[in-house]
Amino acid sequence: MFNRSRRNLASWFTLSMGSILVIFAGILYYQESVQQLEAIDLILYKKSRVITSSVRYKDYQGEKRVFLKNLPVIGNNPPPEDSEIIYARWYDTQGNLKRYFGQTPHNKLNPIFTYQTLKINNNPGSNSQVILLREITLPVQYQGELIGYLQMAMPMNRVQEILNKFLLLLISTVLITLVITSLTGWFLSGLAMQPIQLSYKQLERFTAHASHELRTPLAAILSNAQVGLLAPMEDSNSKHLRLEKVVEVAKSMNTLIGNLLFLARQTGRLTTESLKEVDLNDLLKELLNSPSVKTAAKHLNLKSDLPESPIMVKIDADLICLAVINLLGNACKYTPAGGIVDVRLFSKYSQAIIEVEDNGIGIAAADLPHIFEQFYRVEQHQTNSANSFGLGLAIAQQIIEAHSGHLSVKSEQGKGSVFQIKLPL
């Protein structure tokens, strides 16, 4: 699922960046095409102005006539070899052809007095080749009077070569950039999805452990109920024992489901409306004197080191009690009879600090990074945690983080553990 999500994210990133690149390349190509056309149009216009500047318009036998003999290209002077002019034509004011050079023209002028791009066959026949021409039709005036039209064309081979090279450069650049973008997208999507990958793994582990933990008590309930049904009708003691076992397992399931619901609901920081100013000193005294704590520590020496002055913090008192009870429950469970469990409270660096210390069996260094994970149980603790689901420390950590605090542990195998809660004052 993670790899599929990463591929989708990288693909969409590459597609979006590729679309932007293609649009940008298209705009660049269009601008280059316009610039090249403007350049050849300017050359055509300058050449046509050179030709029209040599036109002579004089009176001849009582009427004004245009003399074209001295005109470059279409006059008696042949065009230079490097002029690149395909054809040049002179039309009178009525559009009738008078003189031309190059390709055989139409006898009448096309009444489009502008620049045009034309396609012509360079060599009519079997080896015909279509080439592009840029044509200009320029009205010629003498002292404000129209005297004719000059039509001239040049090949666009050079423009085509420049545009083709530019297009090849753009395509190569876009393809190379797309490859780099796709690799970058794959790398960045991996970085961006690292927290999501952790969430995927936690979700998979949570689902697997939750289904296993729920299946175990359900199997116990089913087996006890079936055995109870198979017992003789007069054997009430056996049925009573089976029912007690069913009740015990059902309570265990109820606790597990409650813990799962808590983990699902209590996500993120708590709202300011849910926090109230509480004296941690009074809260811990009341908690340590509660029946549940006294029962859990009945075979232990439970000590407390609480300050005389109050320590006021803004917290959800019920949730903090639950976190401390979970820590005390673990300490009492994994400390042998006659051991010591010590609860301390003090303030330091604008923080209220609660410590729960025991001299129990401790935690191995390899297990310390994982003990706050959901459903994680230390291997040497398995025999002491038959009724534990491995959610207590995860719940405690989630509660403390919801209060913008921090929960940490120091432990050495065989010497005990110290759990420390830091809450902002």
Side-chain angles (χ1 to χ4, degrees):
M1 183 183 293
F2 169 76
N3 287 330
R4 184 169 66 250
S5 300
R6 185 180 182 182
R7 282 195 301 270
N8 291 338
L9 184 60
S11 299
W12 280 109
F13 177 76
T14 304
L15 180 62
S16 59
M17 292 299 296
S19 302
I20 294 172
L21 284 172
V22 170
I23 294 172
F24 183 68
I27 293 173
L28 286 180
Y29 183 77
Y30 173 76
Q31 288 180 337
E32 182 67 19
S33 302
V34 171
Q35 288 178 358
Q36 291 297 326
L37 277 179
E38 289 177 350
I40 196 171
D41 288 346
L42 182 61
I43 294 172
L44 267 175
Y45 180 76
K46 287 181 177 180
K47 288 180 179 292
S48 63
R49 293 299 296 173
V50 170
I51 295 174
T52 56
S53 64
S54 303
V55 174
R56 297 291 179 264
Y57 186 57
K58 297 180 179 179
D59 288 333
Y60 181 76
Q61 296 179 355
E63 65 174 306
K64 292 183 177 180
R65 293 180 60 182
V66 179
F67 294 91
L68 305 173
K69 291 182 180 181
N70 295 325
L71 264 65
V73 183
I74 58 176
N76 294 332
N77 301 320
E81 293 182 0
D82 59 348
S83 66
E84 295 185 345
I85 297 175
I86 298 296
Y87 60 79
R89 301 159 184 170
W90 181 270
Y91 294 89
D92 62 16
T93 54
Q94 285 74 40
N96 299 312
L97 180 65
K98 293 300 181 182
R99 244 180 135 83
Y100 74 92
F101 161 76
Q103 190 181 32
T104 304
H106 300 291
N107 291 326
K108 293 290 286 185
L109 177 67
N110 191 339
I112 300 178
F113 309 137
T114 183
Y115 293 97
Q116 294 187 90
T117 301
L118 306 175
K119 289 182 179 180
I120 64 169
N121 288 329
N122 190 24
N123 295 315
S126 59
N127 296 325
S128 63
Q129 181 181 6
V130 177
I131 62 172
L132 290 178
L133 299 179
R134 190 65 172 171
E135 181 188 83
I136 183 176
T137 303
L138 182 68
V140 182
Q141 294 183 346
Y142 184 81
Q143 295 181 352
E145 181 182 355
L146 181 67
I147 62 174
Y149 299 96
L150 176 66
Q151 189 176 77
M152 192 168 63
M154 288 178 59
M156 297 183 65
N157 296 342
R158 188 182 303 171
V159 174
Q160 283 181 289
E161 289 177 3
I162 293 173
L163 290 179
N164 288 337
K165 289 180 180 178
F166 187 65
L167 180 61
L168 182 62
L169 176 64
L170 285 177
I171 292 174
S172 303
T173 304
V174 168
L175 290 177
I176 293 172
T177 307
L178 279 178
V179 172
I180 296 173
T181 301
S182 62
L183 295 175
T184 305
W186 180 259
F187 174 73
L188 292 178
S189 62
L191 287 180
M193 292 191 66
Q194 280 182 353
I196 302 175
Q197 183 181 22
L198 180 61
S199 299
Y200 276 135
K201 291 180 179 179
Q202 289 178 343
L203 178 61
E204 291 175 356
R205 187 165 58 249
F206 178 85
T207 305
H209 287 311
S211 60
H212 172 74
E213 297 293 350
L214 287 170
R215 192 178 293 114
T216 301
L218 282 174
I221 290 174
L222 182 61
S223 63
N224 279 282
Q226 289 174 339
V227 171
L229 289 174
L230 292 174
M233 294 294 294
E234 62 276 5
D235 191 359
S236 58
N237 290 333
S238 176
K239 290 184 177 181
H240 184 74
L241 291 174
R242 295 298 172 186
L243 288 175
E244 285 182 346
K245 189 64 176 178
V246 168
V247 170
E248 181 183 348
V249 175
K251 286 181 179 179
S252 175
M253 277 192 68
N254 185 55
T255 302
L256 173 60
I257 292 171
N259 289 338
L260 293 176
L261 289 174
F262 178 87
L263 289 170
R265 290 171 180 169
Q266 294 292 333
T267 56
R269 300 291 174 84
L270 295 173
T271 60
T272 54
E273 293 80 8
S274 62
L275 302 179
K276 294 182 180 179
E277 196 166 10
V278 177
D279 181 8
L280 274 180
N281 204 347
D282 292 340
L283 184 67
L284 289 180
K285 285 179 182 178
E286 184 179 348
L287 181 64
L288 292 173
N289 291 322
S290 64
S292 59
V293 173
K294 286 184 175 295
T295 302
K298 62 182 178 180
H299 299 300
L300 302 170
N301 185 8
L302 181 60
K303 294 182 178 181
S304 61
D305 184 8
L306 306 178
E308 295 181 0
S309 58
I311 296 180
M312 307 301 295
V313 290
K314 280 193 172 183
I315 56 172
D316 185 320
D318 293 335
L319 292 181
I320 293 298
C321 283
L322 178 59
V324 176
I325 286 174
N326 284 344
L327 297 182
L328 282 171
N330 268 12
C332 295
K333 187 181 298 182
Y334 301 117
T335 301
I340 299 173
V341 175
D342 191 6
V343 179
R344 292 186 290 270
L345 172 64
F346 56 95
S347 60
K348 185 179 181 181
Y349 303 128
S350 300
Q351 289 180 321
I353 300 176
I354 304 173
E355 288 185 347
V356 178
E357 183 177 3
D358 65 74
N359 60 350
I361 61 177
I363 305 169
D367 294 312
L368 281 176
H370 307 286
I371 61 171
F372 294 112
E373 296 176 6
Q374 297 172 9
F375 295 106
Y376 187 85
R377 283 178 287 190
V378 180
E379 186 175 351
Q380 71 263 25
H381 292 179
Q382 294 291 339
T383 55
N384 298 335
S385 58
N387 297 322
S388 173
F389 301 106
L391 294 176
L393 292 179
I395 290 174
Q397 185 186 48
Q398 192 160 314
I399 290 173
I400 302 306
E401 289 180 350
H403 285 81
S404 302
H406 179 68
L407 174 61
S408 60
V409 60
K410 294 180 181 178
S411 183
E412 188 175 348
Q413 197 167 6
K415 294 186 179 181
S417 306
V418 180
F419 285 86
Q420 187 179 77
I421 297 174
K422 293 182 179 179
L423 295 171
L425 289 174

